[in-house]
Amino acid sequence: MKFTPLACATILACAVAPVLNAGVALPSATMSSLTVPMARDSQIVKIKNDKEKGPKKAKKEKHKKDKHAKKEKKHKKKHEKQAKKLEKHEKVKVKVKRSKEDRSRISNEVLEVRAPEGRDMSVLLGAVPLALLGSQIAFADVPEEKLLTYRNCPPGLAKMDPPCVPPGLAKKGVTYEEWVSYDDKQLDAIYLDQRTEFLDRDIVIGEERVPDRNVVVEEDANRDVVLDDDTLLLSSEQIASLYDLRPAPAGKRYALIDGQPVLLTQEDYTSLLRINELARVENLPDGVRIAPTAALTQNELRQTYKLPQLETGNNYAVVNGELVTLQDSAFETLQLIRIARAIF
């Protein structure tokens, strides 16, 4: 009988299979000892990986929550700031155009209000000539009642830190000793430099546009600034009468800043109108009027007229018999006008 090689191989494999199975058979326990550790190792690796991922995932979630909380806090702060701003605007009314009748009535009422004793510039100017506070005089040695007689230390700046120094110059490092060492020529140069800020822009006085100026648009109002001569309460003639002054020379006019009369050129007056346009009129109880000749510090204004404490960077001032609030930059220029253009 002949067998093919394939058939022979098949018969041989069937014959030896039981022997091979018997030879390599392993106890079930031994099989367990080989297979179970492999399963454990794989489980350990898996658990270890989970533990490694856990802190990272938690850290990532915490970062996400912190970022969200920070964003919410920022949004809340912004909302509170806006609410505070709105509340402030409720307390302060924007300047509105007055009718001629209202202006006449209110200005006549203001002219009748007397200044507190010792703070009346119409009396002080008649008794003592104004002078410059010099570097040889220490501020602490100046009696308070005499302080008003120094042009370079107006009441609006007297209680600043450093005293008498305009806030913008103080930020630049100008000290009290430096400030009181300036003579009239230096003070005038500082004022003219500041005045440029309020003149280098395209503005309108009444119906006439000032030529060769750059257009400046108000950030809040989004409109060209229009300066109206009628926004100032007291007229040049009323101020002259109040202080028994001669009529202003041609091309000039009087104004009144914190009780101090000043004589202004057209450019000076234009800068004053610009400053006044940037100001806000403070609400006062019905019937309460400001004493136009009074020279009062910031604290004295608050105490006399029951005014609230202003935020940092804002200041009270009295311009032509009307109480206003101004930011530092405009307030500083206003005080420089008072110093450089004072009548003495």
Side-chain angles (χ1 to χ4, degrees), residues 100-146:
K100 289 183 179 180
E101 293 75 16
D102 282 344
R103 183 184 181 191
S104 176
R105 175 180 57 81
I106 296 171
S107 62
N108 286 332
E109 291 174 0
V110 165
L111 291 172
E112 296 299 321
V113 181
R114 301 273 71 85
E117 187 177 352
R119 295 291 184 271
D120 193 334
M121 289 301 292
S122 65
V123 174
L124 291 173
L125 289 174
V128 183
L130 294 181
L132 289 178
L133 186 60
S135 55
Q136 74 280 4
I137 304 173
F139 180 79
D141 296 336
V142 182
E144 194 160 327
E145 63 274 9
K146 192 177 180 182

Side-chain angles (χ1 to χ4, degrees), residues 195-218 223-228 266-275 277-278:
R195 189 184 71 178
T196 302
E197 179 184 345
F198 295 91
L199 293 178
D200 284 352
R201 56 195 67 195
D202 192 6
I203 52 181
V204 176
I205 302 177
E207 298 296 328
E208 184 178 352
R209 183 170 294 275
V210 179
D212 301 325
R213 305 295 187 193
N214 298 321
V215 175
V216 171
V217 177
E218 286 280 11
R223 60 182 175 81
D224 288 348
V225 177
V226 178
L227 299 181
D228 186 352
Q266 182 58 51
E267 287 192 319
D268 294 330
Y269 194 69
T270 299
S271 64
L272 179 63
L273 290 175
R274 170 62 182 158
I275 291 169
E277 190 69 21
L278 294 175

Side-chain angles (χ1 to χ4, degrees), residues 88 95 198 257-258 272 274-281 298 310-319 323-335:
K88 181 184 174 184
K95 194 184 316 330
F198 295 91
I257 302 170
D258 292 327
L272 179 63
R274 170 62 182 158
I275 291 169
N276 193 61
E277 190 69 21
L278 294 175
R280 291 187 180 277
V281 179
Q298 296 288 301
L310 293 174
E311 294 179 3
T312 302
N314 291 275
N315 312 268
Y316 290 113
V318 180
V319 179
L323 179 69
V324 298
T325 58
L326 289 164
Q327 293 185 346
D328 277 350
S329 176
F331 178 75
E332 177 170 312
T333 307
L334 181 71
Q335 297 305 313

Side-chain angles (χ1 to χ4, degrees), residues 28 52 56 86 115 135 159 162 165 222 282 293 323 332 336:
S28 60
E52 288 176 352
K56 290 182 180 178
L86 287 173
S135 55
K159 301 300 181 181
V165 183
N222 194 30
E282 186 70 22
T293 62
L323 179 69
E332 177 170 312
L336 287 171

Side-chain angles (χ1 to χ4, degrees), residues 38-173:
M38 289 178 63
R40 285 177 183 170
D41 287 345
S42 64
Q43 185 67 19
I44 289 171
V45 171
K46 188 176 180 181
I47 292 172
K48 187 177 179 182
N49 287 340
D50 286 345
K51 287 182 178 179
E52 288 176 352
K53 290 178 181 178
K56 290 182 180 178
K57 187 176 180 181
K59 189 175 180 181
K60 189 176 180 181
E61 288 293 329
K62 185 176 182 300
H63 178 72
K64 191 175 180 181
K65 288 180 180 178
D66 289 346
K67 189 176 180 181
H68 180 72
K70 190 175 180 180
K71 190 176 180 181
E72 286 291 323
K73 187 177 180 181
K74 187 177 179 181
H75 178 74
K76 184 178 179 182
K77 191 175 181 181
K78 185 178 179 182
H79 180 74
E80 288 175 349
K81 189 176 180 181
Q82 289 174 340
K84 195 172 183 180
K85 191 175 180 180
L86 287 173
E87 183 181 352
K88 181 184 174 184
H89 277 250
E90 287 176 0
K91 293 180 180 179
V92 181
K93 62 181 180 181
V94 179
K95 194 184 316 330
V96 294
K97 185 175 177 63
R98 281 182 288 258
S99 66
K100 289 183 179 180
E101 293 75 16
D102 282 344
R103 183 184 181 191
S104 176
R105 175 180 57 81
I106 296 171
S107 62
N108 286 332
E109 291 174 0
V110 165
L111 291 172
E112 296 299 321
V113 181
R114 301 273 71 85
E117 187 177 352
R119 295 291 184 271
D120 193 334
M121 289 301 292
S122 65
V123 174
L124 291 173
L125 289 174
V128 183
L130 294 181
L132 289 178
L133 186 60
S135 55
Q136 74 280 4
I137 304 173
F139 180 79
D141 296 336
V142 182
E144 194 160 327
E145 63 274 9
K146 192 177 180 182
L147 197 58
L148 295 176
T149 64
Y150 292 109
R151 285 190 294 117
N152 54 346
C153 194
L157 301 176
K159 301 300 181 181
M160 296 284 187
D161 185 20
C164 309
V165 183
L169 296 178
K171 289 176 184 176
K172 293 177 182 178

